[in-house]
Amino acid sequence: MADTRQTAGPAFHQLTFVPEGDEVLVGRADTDSYALFPADGAMLLRKLTTGMPLADAVAWYNAAYDEPVDMDDFLETLNELGFVRDEGDDPVAAAPAAVRYARLGRAVFSPVAWVVYGAIAVVCVVLLVRMPDVRPYPRTLFFSDSLLLVQVGLLFAQLPFVFLHESFHALAGRRIGIPSRLGVGRRLYFVVFETTLNGLLGVPRRKRYLPFLAGMVADALIFSLLICAAAVDAHRHGHDLSFVGRFTVALAFVTALRFVWQFYLFLRTDLYYVFSTALGCVALHDATRALIRNTLCRLLGLRHRVVDLEQWSDRDRKVARWYAPFAAAGVLVMLLTAAGTAVPVLVHFVRLLVDRLGHPGHPDSGFWDSVGFLALSIVQFGLVGVVALRDRARERRQQQRTEAAPKPAPTPDTAPALDVAPLPATLHAEQERTR
């Protein structure tokens, strides 16, 4: 191997350096590649990014920390993380490109906007206390006698609200210069929209909370506005909701379900990212899943399927030890929530279907309405199955590429190597499309 310490330093992509306790989170925002560096390693990398020759960087490190450094190993790690620029890469921009809609993001989360949001929420609470007719609960989903209309209406009418939820995530990120990308994914049996917030780990921790919580702010605002609209409808019709008012209350109930979803912290929900950030973790979900999987594999005697936890940071592994039981108990919380919401709705659906499909005779409009409802339900769950198969095939291809990649030949260490922990650090905010 050539003695790289006698050559000029490599060129680097634009990197961010964020202190995380005793370590430094270094990353490349455009590819979302991050790693936790020890403080001395981050300082050495900073020196290299300024153009310091390798020989000078080695000499500086030896003098500053009174120990040698394996520069060859360090550069290899930086290459694997994608921090080093190749000859064909685009040149590093002198200044970061301006993010579109940053000004709109600052306006949406300005002090004046927060005052308006708070006032709307207070009015909503007053209306819920004084007007029982506008309170959403499971039976309010049936705003019409037509099951097909209920299903189609709730499915499509909530899409603008889901878009607004994701837009708040994106705008909260863009106000601090973070670009975003929208996509479609799956969580359990739900089809979800995802906002990927590339580069969010490259900003200080205190600036990450609002981009994570912005979607819940949108849901709370939507819920409040829907309740206000239903109250206006009830007032116009003598405290008796019209079709529009009943539809509005049904949408408010669906919005409330989306808000409650965020409390299932065993999933990658908005609140999960808030707690993960507050606890100083980056890949807590993956570390917790791996810990639970290893425990089950050991109990079942499948030790060959145990994964190496060293691929996650010390902090993630430490927090995962007590977070794992909490995550497992979260499944029970989800089931109890479903028992109070989904089960009553499902029971009412089944009763209506049995009543309409179980009577012999000439099919009426109710019979065909129920047939259409069942057909559309099959299509929806079929779509979830297609997304699940797509995700599984993608994971299988990724695993095959990883296994087929050549393993580097071991080389003897000539000096202590810096302990750098790569992180699977893609962050995104999730939003369900509740059925």
Side-chain angles (χ1 to χ4, degrees):
M1 178 179 295
D3 187 2
T4 56
R5 285 172 287 185
Q6 301 301 320
T7 64
F12 291 90
H13 292 279
Q14 189 73 38
L15 302 178
T16 59
F17 295 80
V18 179
E20 291 285 348
D22 296 333
E23 299 175 304
V24 178
L25 185 63
V26 182
R28 180 179 164 191
D30 57 336
T31 61
D32 239 20
S33 175
Y34 293 87
L36 280 172
F37 282 67
D40 57 336
M43 185 57 68
L44 176 60
L45 178 55
R46 280 185 180 274
K47 296 290 184 180
L48 293 175
T49 58
T50 63
M52 176 179 287
L54 295 180
D56 293 346
V58 171
W60 169 85
Y61 187 92
N62 293 342
Y65 298 99
D66 195 25
E67 64 180 29
V69 61
D70 187 344
M71 184 60 75
D72 290 331
D73 182 82
F74 190 56
L75 291 177
E76 183 179 352
T77 299
L78 298 178
N79 269 299
E80 292 175 354
L81 292 170
F83 292 173
V84 180
R85 290 182 57 241
D86 295 328
E87 292 182 1
D89 292 338
D90 295 330
V92 178
V99 177
R100 296 181 62 188
Y101 306 116
R103 182 178 299 179
L104 176 60
R106 289 190 290 269
V108 169
F109 298 102
S110 65
V112 174
W114 285 113
V115 171
V116 174
Y117 301 158
I120 294 174
V122 170
V123 172
C124 171
V125 172
V126 172
L127 293 175
L128 289 173
V129 172
R130 301 185 61 178
M131 301 182 65
D133 290 340
V134 301
R135 298 172 188 170
Y137 55 93
R139 286 293 294 271
T140 57
L141 282 177
F142 301 92
F143 60 89
S144 170
D145 293 333
S146 170
L147 296 180
L148 185 59
L149 180 58
V150 169
Q151 186 180 37
V152 174
L154 294 179
L155 176 62
F156 290 100
Q158 67 174 312
L159 292 182
F161 303 141
V162 175
F163 174 78
L164 185 61
H165 175 108
E166 296 304 324
S167 297
F168 265 52
H169 280 303
L171 289 174
R174 288 176 179 268
R175 64 184 282 274
I176 57 174
I178 302 299
S180 61
R181 184 178 69 250
L182 296 178
V184 179
R186 175 183 60 89
R187 295 294 176 269
L188 296 181
Y189 49 86
F190 294 109
V191 174
V192 298
F193 292 98
E194 300 173 344
T195 302
T196 303
L197 300 169
N198 290 325
L200 192 57
L201 288 178
V203 301
R205 187 185 302 180
R206 61 184 175 80
K207 293 185 177 181
R208 302 175 200 165
Y209 295 115
L210 182 56
F212 291 140
L213 290 171
M216 296 183 69
V217 173
D219 287 339
L221 178 61
I222 292 167
F223 178 87
S224 300
L225 291 173
L226 288 171
I227 295 300
C228 292
V232 171
D233 180 84
H235 179 73
R236 292 180 58 187
H237 295 84
H239 300 282
D240 188 15
L241 291 173
S242 67
F243 173 84
V244 174
R246 295 194 303 272
F247 186 34
T248 303
V249 174
L251 288 174
F253 180 78
V254 173
T255 303
L257 288 182
R258 288 202 303 271
F259 190 89
V260 172
W261 168 275
Q262 307 301 338
F263 289 86
Y264 299 155
L265 300 182
F266 62 94
L267 299 174
R268 286 193 181 100
T269 62
D270 298 347
L271 278 182
Y272 157 78
Y273 283 116
V274 171
F275 285 106
S276 178
T277 301
L279 293 170
C281 300
V282 179
L284 179 59
H285 178 81
D286 294 331
T288 303
R289 287 189 60 184
L291 181 63
I292 295 175
R293 175 181 175 180
N294 285 357
T295 302
L296 293 177
C297 288
R298 291 190 179 97
L299 292 175
L300 297 175
L302 303 175
R303 294 186 175 273
H304 63 284
R305 302 190 63 179
V306 172
V307 299
D308 183 14
L309 296 180
E310 294 297 322
Q311 59 186 299
W312 289 281
S313 68
D314 293 338
R315 180 63 179 173
D316 283 329
R317 297 197 305 270
K318 185 181 298 183
V319 175
R321 292 189 182 96
W322 63 263
Y323 190 81
F326 174 78
V331 178
L332 177 60
V333 176
M334 181 188 67
L335 294 176
L336 292 176
T337 303
T341 57
V343 172
V345 172
L346 181 61
V347 169
H348 190 70
F349 268 126
V350 171
R351 286 178 178 174
L352 291 177
L353 288 174
V354 171
D355 182 65
R356 294 179 179 183
L357 300 177
H359 294 289
H362 186 73
D364 56 8
S365 59
F367 173 86
W368 293 115
D369 178 80
S370 301
V371 170
F373 167 80
L374 290 174
L376 186 57
S377 299
I378 294 174
V379 171
Q380 289 185 68
F381 283 100
L383 176 61
V384 174
V386 170
V387 174
L389 291 175
R390 182 204 65 181
D391 291 347
R392 186 164 185 176
R394 181 183 302 166
E395 293 174 359
R396 188 181 298 113
R397 290 193 299 268
Q398 180 63 32
Q399 183 178 1
Q400 291 173 350
R401 286 195 295 267
T402 302
E403 294 175 350
K407 304 297 188 297
T411 57
D413 290 335
T414 58
L418 296 172
D419 183 17
V420 179
L423 302 175
T426 299
L427 299 178
H428 56 273
E430 302 169 356
Q431 183 56 59
E432 59 163 329
R433 281 173 55 184
T434 308
R435 297 294 181 255

